Amino acid sequence: MMKMKEKKVIEMMEQILVSLAFCIVAGLMLSRLAKKVNLPAVTAYLVAGLLIGPFFLGRLHLPGIGFDSLEMVSYYDIITQVALGFIAFIIGNEFRLSSLKTMGRKAITVGILQAVITTFCVDAALIVLHLFFPDVISLPAAITLGAIAAATAPAATLMVVKQYKADGPLTKLLLMVVAIDDAVGLILFSASFGVASALEVGTISITSVVLEPIIEIVLSFALGTVAGIALNYIETFFHSRSKRMSISIAFVLLTVGLSLLEFEVGGIKIGFSLLLVCMMTGTVFCNICDASEELMERVDGWTTPLNILFFVLSGAELDLNVLSSPLVLLVGIVYIAFRSFGKISGAYVSCRIEKCSDNIQKHLGITLLPQAGVALGMATTSAALNDGALVSNVVLFSVLIYELVGPALTKRSLLAAGEINPEGRVSNRKVNQKA
């Protein structure tokens, strides 16, 4: 009996390794086709995931080739969590003191204001939809979706920036804003979800609306700060570049693991934001370690296959069943239209307040459209609502649209802003690196 179990475990591990290898190869091969039509590699990875997912190749039920169910894709969630951790850690590199002195205030103003304006726009649109068609969407669901709309996915944005070696004021501000957006989105969602829950049960919980999100943010920053200081201290025991890079990778894995912990103290739920913890670790480390810039580049290079897996698996997770519901499509179209309007107008207004350049005012909003992991996590929490299924499906629909078109729009905006060199005989990488 024991040998049979061991054999099944070995077969399962073999299938996992084959599946991961197939994901990377499929993503890379499709990226070659994407290049011919000037699409970002991120879009190719997402489409590759969609093609090998349960709605296409997965239907063939070939072991190791494709995923035959969404549940099977969920087995690889730890890989997506680790990839998000590395993405956040690398984004922390943008918060060096030199950058904060020149763009810190702008990033905070834009990060907060564009998220609040987006939430207001989506809330207003969906509440009006509720008033005219109360059977289509409930008031708690409308309020919750408005808060989820504030969330922006940093992963797709960072991958586009890395692929084309984008650089300039818009790129620097963009990377700061998408990092700040996570903290702002968390607060907006916690408050809105608390109000939505109160509307259903008739009582407002100050603990869930105010206290728990503040504790989560404070603890995330504290854990990230301690991890960043500890990483810098342990790095001093090693002089080999490869060993110092290995320690950095180990610490990101450690912070990802710790940030997934959840427990309860005195009736208060205690948790961490993975993105905030890893981002803070990277920020603190970059500001106190002299060799951090070189180490960041090495860690960044090491994570390339992991990032490919992240986007291919994200594509495989896209549930096409949501397209079969007219109700979801109706609410989803309203949600996407007003979220897009909110992000673009919110970024424009906040950039004008901070007197940013015309390039930033015109193009920043479009680069903030991608939406994925954070929004899906919020949608999972919203399942407790009576209309929770609708909220989840609308978010899934929006992620499907935004993740497929968002990277291309980000590339187009950075290109129009002059922060990506047009492709031609000279490689974008070489030109931008020299610049």
Side-chain angles (χ1 to χ4, degrees):
M1 185 72 176
M2 197 67 177
K3 288 184 178 180
M4 287 291 290
K5 287 183 178 179
E6 289 177 358
K7 187 177 179 181
K8 285 184 178 179
V9 170
I10 291 171
E11 288 177 352
M12 185 174 71
M13 293 302 294
E14 289 173 348
Q15 184 173 334
I16 288 173
L17 291 175
V18 172
S19 295
L20 293 177
F22 187 71
C23 284
I24 294 175
V25 172
L28 287 172
M29 293 303 291
L30 206 62
S31 71
R32 302 309 299 169
L33 294 175
K35 188 175 181 180
K36 293 183 182 298
V37 291
N38 292 324
L39 284 175
V42 179
T43 303
Y45 302 150
L46 289 163
V47 173
L50 197 60
L51 293 176
I52 66 177
F55 299 97
F56 293 96
L57 193 57
R59 290 182 178 274
L60 300 178
H61 302 290
L62 299 174
I65 301 177
F67 302 99
D68 55 18
S69 68
L70 291 171
E71 184 183 6
M72 184 179 178
V73 183
S74 68
Y75 295 157
Y76 298 83
D77 278 351
I78 188 62
I79 293 175
T80 61
Q81 298 288 352
V82 169
L84 275 174
F86 277 101
I87 287 165
F89 180 71
I90 291 165
I91 285 178
N93 190 40
E94 301 300 320
F95 288 88
R96 292 180 181 271
L97 289 177
S98 56
S99 299
L100 288 173
K101 287 176 183 177
T102 57
M103 303 192 77
R105 195 188 75 175
K106 290 180 181 177
I108 292 171
T109 301
V110 175
I112 295 173
L113 200 52
Q114 57 83 24
V116 171
I117 289 174
T118 301
T119 296
F120 175 79
C121 288
V122 177
D123 270 343
L126 293 180
I127 288 172
V128 168
L129 184 65
H130 162 74
L131 293 175
F132 280 97
F133 306 102
D135 294 334
V136 171
I137 183 171
S138 65
L139 186 58
I143 293 171
T144 303
L145 280 169
I148 294 175
T152 298
T157 301
L158 182 63
M159 283 292 284
V160 173
V161 169
K162 283 167 56 180
Q163 180 184 353
Y164 297 103
K165 299 294 179 183
D167 193 23
L170 172 60
T171 303
K172 287 181 170 61
L173 181 61
L174 168 62
L175 292 176
M176 286 187 176
V177 169
V178 294
I180 292 169
D181 193 83
D182 184 48
V184 180
L186 177 63
I187 294 172
L188 288 171
F189 174 74
S190 298
S192 297
F193 182 65
V195 171
S197 300
L199 288 172
E200 289 195 342
V201 300
T203 57
I204 293 180
S205 170
I206 300 298
T207 299
S208 61
V209 174
V210 180
L211 193 57
E212 287 180 357
I214 291 175
I215 290 174
E216 181 171 334
I217 291 170
V218 170
L219 288 181
S220 296
F221 280 128
L223 178 58
T225 300
V226 171
I229 294 170
L231 172 57
N232 178 61
Y233 176 71
I234 293 176
E235 291 275 8
T236 60
F237 290 95
F238 301 92
H239 302 288
S240 163
R241 291 175 177 176
S242 59
K243 288 179 180 177
R244 296 185 82 177
M245 182 190 74
S246 299
I247 289 295
S248 300
I249 291 168
F251 256 79
V252 176
L253 295 174
L254 175 64
T255 51
V256 169
L258 292 176
S259 66
L260 295 176
L261 293 175
E262 290 183 352
F263 49 95
E264 194 169 309
V265 178
I268 299 174
K269 294 178 183 177
I270 306 295
F272 303 92
S273 166
L274 183 151
L275 289 174
L276 290 182
V277 172
C278 295
M279 182 195 73
M280 196 62 186
T281 302
T283 299
V284 172
F285 176 66
C286 286
N287 281 290
I288 62 178
C289 178
D290 295 334
S292 62
E293 197 154 352
E294 181 186 354
L295 284 168
M296 277 291 191
E297 287 181 7
R298 286 175 163 269
V299 172
D300 194 12
W302 180 86
T303 59
T304 299
L306 189 61
N307 289 334
I308 294 172
L309 279 174
F310 171 78
F311 287 105
V312 173
L313 290 171
S314 296
E317 281 182 320
L318 296 176
D319 188 354
L320 298 187
N321 286 322
V322 299
L323 300 178
S324 62
S325 170
L327 182 63
V328 171
L329 291 177
L330 171 63
V331 179
I333 289 170
V334 174
Y335 174 88
I336 289 171
F338 282 88
R339 179 181 181 271
S340 301
F341 174 75
K343 284 290 179 184
I344 294 170
S345 61
Y348 180 78
V349 169
S350 55
C351 285
R352 278 191 70 85
I353 290 172
E354 282 297 325
K355 298 179 180 178
C356 297
S357 67
D358 289 341
N359 259 347
I360 294 177
Q361 291 179 32
K362 289 178 184 176
H363 302 296
L364 180 64
I366 294 175
T367 63
L368 296 173
L369 292 181
Q371 189 172 47
V374 178
L376 291 172
M378 292 175 177
T380 301
T381 304
S382 305
L385 296 173
N386 293 334
D387 233 354
L390 175 66
V391 172
S392 297
N393 286 332
V394 168
V395 173
L396 277 170
F397 174 61
S398 74
V399 167
L400 174 65
I401 302 301
Y402 280 127
E403 284 299 272
L404 292 177
V405 304
L409 292 175
T410 298
K411 177 198 170 184
R412 184 177 178 182
S413 293
L414 292 174
L415 191 63
E419 300 193 6
I420 293 177
N421 289 285
E423 292 189 89
R425 293 184 179 181
V426 181
S427 167
N428 284 345
R429 297 172 185 270
K430 293 178 181 177
V431 175
N432 281 320
Q433 281 175 333
K434 287 177 182 177

